[in-house]
Amino acid sequence: MISLMVAHDPNHVIGKDNQLPWHIPGDLAYFKKHTIGKGMVMGRNTFESIGRPLPKRRNVVVTRNKQYTAQGADITHNLSDAIELAREQHEEVMVIGGEQIFREALKVADRLYITLVHQAFEGDTFFPEYGREWKLVSESERHYSNGIPYSYLVYERSGGQTGD
C-alpha cells in the first residue's frame, strides 16, 4: 500500500522556505504514530528540512543528484525505485513530501492521510489537487493548537490504478 501523509491549508499550502508554515504539536504526534515502523519516502529537500533520518523508520530519499549521500538514509534517483526499496520490509509505504514527490506519487497512491489546517498561510510549496477518485473514509473532530484549527482526514482511492 502506498500512502501519502501531508498537512495542508485550504489553499493546499504545505511549506514556505523549505519549512512548515505552522507549528502544530498534535500533527507531529499524528505523523509519528502513522510512520513509525514503516518505509518512508521523501525528496531531498524534505529530508534536509527535517535535518536527520527519523528513527524507527526506513528513510528513503529521492534525489536527481547522483553524488548525494546521507548517513542513515537510503538514496534513490526516482520515485519507483524509492517505493520498491521501502516496500522490501514494509507493507505500507509512507510518502511524506515534498511537492514534486507528492505530484508523482499521487498517481499511484492508495491512501491519503491529510491534516487539514483550517486557516490560510503564505507558502511557496503546494500539495496537488485530489479529486473524485478519492473517498473520505475518516474525519476527526476539529482540534486547536496555538489557535490554529485542524482536523485529520483519511481518503482512499475509490477506483482506478493503485500502488498495490
Side-chain angles (χ1 to χ4, degrees), residues 90-109:
H90 307 282
E91 184 178 318
E92 186 174 22
V93 173
M94 306 300 286
V95 178
I96 65 163
E99 181 176 349
Q100 290 178 321
I101 298 296
F102 281 141
R103 285 193 188 288
E104 194 173 338
L106 188 62
K107 299 170 191 169
V108 296

Side-chain angles (χ1 to χ4, degrees), residues 64-77:
R64 289 184 292 263
N65 180 348
K66 303 285 188 198
Q67 316 317 306
Y68 188 80
T69 61
Q71 188 171 352
D74 295 303
I75 308 302
T76 65
H77 303 292

Side-chain angles (χ1 to χ4, degrees), residues 31-47:
F31 174 88
K32 182 177 182 179
K33 173 184 171 187
H34 288 285
T35 60
I36 285 280
K38 297 179 183 172
M40 230 173 31
V41 172
M42 68 197 92
R44 180 189 51 80
N45 285 339
T46 298
F47 179 75

Side-chain angles (χ1 to χ4, degrees), residues 1-3 83-84 87 90-93 105-111 134 156-157 160-164:
M1 173 176 296
I2 300 170
S3 299
I83 289 170
E84 287 310 309
R87 272 186 167 157
H90 307 282
E91 184 178 318
E92 186 174 22
V93 173
L106 188 62
K107 299 170 191 169
V108 296
D110 303 293
R111 181 177 291 153
W134 295 98
E156 290 186 354
R157 188 179 296 276
Q161 181 182 0
T162 67
D164 277 342

